[in-house]
């Protein structure tokens, strides 16, 4: 698809100035004089002419990048007036993080050409630029990420989790002497990592089940999606945020199974993988015009097809005659738990690059919903199995 030109500095400054939030303090900047000195009518607005004169008189005291952004803000006002409070907010560091990033860039001007147009980049620079365009919808954020990324620390979380999953699968494959559809082996559920409804009091199983996969076909797709989607997301948003999202999807998956498919075990990392992929796809859809990754529609279609195929495989396996009756094969509900986390918590994480999540009211709403679900599932696991007089399969 063709690339759209990035907005000019005036448009970018105006758009960013509308999102104001309190940030950590920076070095003190000179504040303007009292409004009555250049707002005799006490209207709360300053004419752009007086505003420019004020900037010129303080030009030696202002950071040049901040002065450029303020001048761009003046250029964006078609009515010739600037809100005085917005000006004070900018000068006293009450502004969005993206705005702050634009001001603090050392060698890159707000009005410079789009990052995609830059030539002469080496391989690592092209990779970082590619990741920026894959994950971030705003040019100002892409430039900030490109300038500030140092690969220290590297995306260790997703790589470590993936290596552990492969290592456990190989060990299990050797011990069972089976790699394809391992889950059909009579001894498969005896592993201490698998979530089993009869052993649900062993709390570690709600998390460790991700290291057990139904077979090489199950592991392969999860590993590919983790590396292709999870690693770039971690490069941009960091191990803490992506790790939190991944683990939240994993836990939500096993708890969802314990509530909705009470007699079935759970294996595989699909809960965490589906949380990441669904959050990424939802972020692309919600910021469609801003996302500049190539072949967006085709790649979204491929991603959805892969997710649907894996989900279809899980549904088929769940209802296939079990290799260890009366216990059924592993549940597919964990996939749905991961998707629910991705389109709620995940979207908030990915939409707020370099901004504090605790300042986002949607974050608190979805975090509260997640906490309520976890508490509900805990009480369900304690009381519901007894109250419903459910006959569970014997422990493996």
């Amino acid at each position: 698809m063709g690339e759209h030109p990035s907005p000019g500095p005036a448009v970018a400054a105006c758009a960013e100035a509308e999102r104001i939030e309190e940030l950590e303090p920076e070095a003190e900047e000179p504040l303007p004089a009292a409004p009555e000195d250049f707002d005799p009518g006490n209207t709360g607005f300053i004419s752009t002419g007086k505003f420019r004169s004020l900037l010129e008189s303080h030009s030696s005291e202002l950071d040049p990048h901040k002065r450029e952004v303020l001048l761009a803000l003046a250029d964006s006002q078609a009515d010739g007036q600037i809100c005085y409070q917005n000006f004070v907010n900018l000068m006293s560091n009450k502004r969005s993080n993206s705005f702050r990033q634009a001001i603090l860039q050392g060698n890159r001007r707000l009005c410079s050409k789009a990052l995609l147009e830059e030539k002469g980049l080496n391989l690592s620079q092209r990779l970082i630029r590619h990741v920026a365009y894959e994950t971030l919808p705003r040019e100002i954020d892409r430039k900030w990420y490109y300038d500030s990324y140092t690969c220290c620390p590297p995306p260790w979380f997703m790589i470590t989790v993936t290596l552990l999953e492969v290592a456990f699968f190989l060990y299990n494959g050797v011990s069972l002497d089976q790699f394809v559809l391992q889950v059909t082996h009579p001894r498969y559920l005896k592993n201490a990592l698998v979530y089993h409804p009869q052993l649900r009091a062993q709390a570690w199983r709600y998390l460790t089940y991700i290291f057990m996969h139904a077979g090489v076909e199950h592991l392969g797709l999860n590993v590919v999606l983790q590396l292709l989607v999870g690693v770039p997301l971690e490069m941009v948003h960091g191990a803490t945020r992506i790790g939190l999202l991944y683990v939240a999807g994993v836990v939500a998956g096993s708890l969802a199974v314990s509530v909705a498919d009470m007699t079935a075990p759970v294996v595989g990392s699909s809960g965490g993988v589906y949380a990441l992929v669904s959050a990424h796809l939802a972020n692309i859809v919600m910021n469609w015009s801003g996302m500049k990754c190539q072949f967006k529609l085709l790649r979204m279609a491929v991603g959805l097809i892969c997710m649907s195929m894996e989900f279809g495989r899980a549904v088929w396996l769940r209802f296939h005659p079990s290799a260890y009756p009366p216990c059924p094969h592993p549940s597919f509900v964990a996939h749905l738990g991961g998707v629910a986390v991705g389109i709620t918590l995940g979207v908030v994480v990915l939409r707020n690059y370099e901004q504090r999540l605790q300042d986002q009211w949607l974050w608190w709403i979805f975090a509260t919903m997640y906490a309520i679900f976890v508490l509900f599932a805990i009480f369900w696991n304690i009381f519901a199995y007894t109250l419903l007089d459910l006959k569970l399969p014997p422990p493996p």
Side-chain angles (χ1 to χ4, degrees):
M1 297 179 64
E3 299 293 340
H4 300 286
S6 58
V11 176
C14 182
E16 293 298 332
E18 291 175 356
R19 295 193 295 275
I20 303 298
E21 65 179 349
E22 185 71 42
L23 295 175
E24 57 273 16
E26 300 174 9
E28 287 293 325
E29 294 280 3
L31 289 174
E36 55 267 19
D37 293 346
F38 43 86
D39 182 20
N42 197 26
T43 62
F45 290 87
I46 315 166
S47 71
T48 53
K50 291 182 179 180
F51 181 74
R52 287 179 174 279
S53 298
L54 183 64
L55 289 181
E56 290 299 325
S57 63
H58 288 280
S59 60
S60 61
E61 305 167 76
L62 285 171
D63 178 273
H65 296 287
K66 178 174 286 187
R67 186 169 68 89
E68 180 182 356
V69 172
L70 293 172
L71 286 172
L73 178 63
D75 292 337
S76 69
Q77 308 304 307
D79 57 359
Q81 296 186 103
I82 294 174
C83 177
Y84 173 75
Q85 188 58 52
N86 283 350
F87 175 45
V88 173
N89 286 339
L90 293 174
M91 297 296 288
S92 58
N93 299 308
K94 289 182 180 178
R95 56 184 176 269
S96 75
N97 231 347
S98 295
F99 213 69
R100 174 173 176 263
Q101 293 160 7
I103 295 170
L104 294 180
Q105 289 182 55
N107 64 349
R108 199 173 287 278
R109 311 289 285 186
L110 184 65
C111 59
S112 64
K113 62 185 179 181
L115 181 59
L116 195 61
E117 299 172 5
E118 297 199 3
K119 307 296 182 183
L121 303 182
N122 59 36
L123 182 61
S124 63
Q125 290 173 324
R126 290 199 298 270
L127 174 62
I128 296 170
R129 182 179 65 177
H130 174 76
V131 170
Y133 275 92
E134 288 292 308
T135 56
L136 295 171
R138 294 197 297 267
E139 183 69 16
I140 198 170
D141 287 341
R142 291 192 283 260
K143 288 183 178 181
W144 170 255
Y145 169 74
Y146 177 82
D147 280 338
S148 60
Y149 184 72
T150 61
C151 199
C152 185
W156 61 269
F157 177 80
M158 292 309 309
I159 293 175
T160 302
V161 169
T162 301
L163 290 176
L164 287 173
E165 290 172 0
V166 173
F168 275 105
F169 174 78
L170 293 176
Y171 173 80
N172 209 39
V174 171
S175 63
L176 298 177
D177 193 25
Q178 184 171 338
F179 289 90
V180 177
L181 284 177
Q182 280 185 1
V183 71
T184 61
H185 196 284
R187 298 201 317 270
Y188 181 82
L189 292 183
K190 294 183 181 296
N191 195 293
L193 302 179
V194 176
Y195 168 84
H196 190 283
Q198 196 67 267
L199 303 173
R200 64 188 184 281
Q202 299 175 355
W204 71 83
R205 293 177 181 264
Y206 289 90
L207 185 61
T208 59
Y209 75 92
I210 68 172
F211 298 117
M212 298 291 293
H213 284 79
V216 67
E217 65 290 341
H218 186 198
L219 174 72
L221 186 57
N222 280 348
V223 164
V224 169
L225 290 176
Q226 279 181 180
L227 295 179
L228 291 183
V229 178
V231 170
L233 289 179
E234 185 179 345
M235 289 174 64
V236 173
H237 298 280
T240 301
R241 290 191 176 191
I242 297 305
L244 173 66
L245 178 58
Y246 186 86
V247 172
V250 169
V251 174
S254 54
L255 290 177
V257 171
S258 71
V259 171
D261 197 2
M262 300 168 67
T263 63
V266 190
V267 297
S269 59
S270 296
V273 172
Y274 274 53
L276 295 180
V277 176
S278 59
H280 181 53
L281 295 181
N283 189 45
I284 292 177
V285 173
M286 295 172 67
N287 299 280
W288 187 262
S289 61
M291 297 297 291
K292 303 301 181 183
C293 49
Q294 294 182 325
F295 310 112
K296 286 185 292 188
L297 190 59
L298 175 62
R299 292 165 64 177
M300 279 198 64
V302 172
L304 290 173
I305 290 173
C306 290
M307 292 175 68
S308 300
M309 288 176 60
E310 161 57 19
F311 183 71
R313 180 208 61 81
V315 172
W316 168 82
L317 182 64
R318 169 63 178 83
F319 296 106
H320 189 270
S322 176
Y324 24 77
C327 184
H329 282 146
S331 176
F332 58 87
V333 177
H335 298 69
L336 303 179
V339 171
V341 170
I343 62 177
T344 53
L345 288 174
V347 169
V348 177
V349 169
L350 300 192
R351 289 189 66 187
N352 291 281
Y353 168 67
E354 284 292 308
Q355 297 186 35
R356 297 184 301 181
L357 294 177
Q358 60 265 35
D359 291 338
Q360 312 298 320
W361 60 271
L362 270 179
W363 167 258
W364 289 109
I365 291 176
F366 291 140
T368 302
M369 291 171 57
Y370 184 83
I372 291 173
F373 167 72
V374 171
L375 289 174
F376 168 78
I378 290 174
F379 282 103
W380 180 274
N381 277 271
I382 294 174
F383 300 110
Y385 284 75
T386 303
L387 294 176
L388 296 175
D389 195 23
L390 191 69
K391 186 176 182 180
L392 294 176

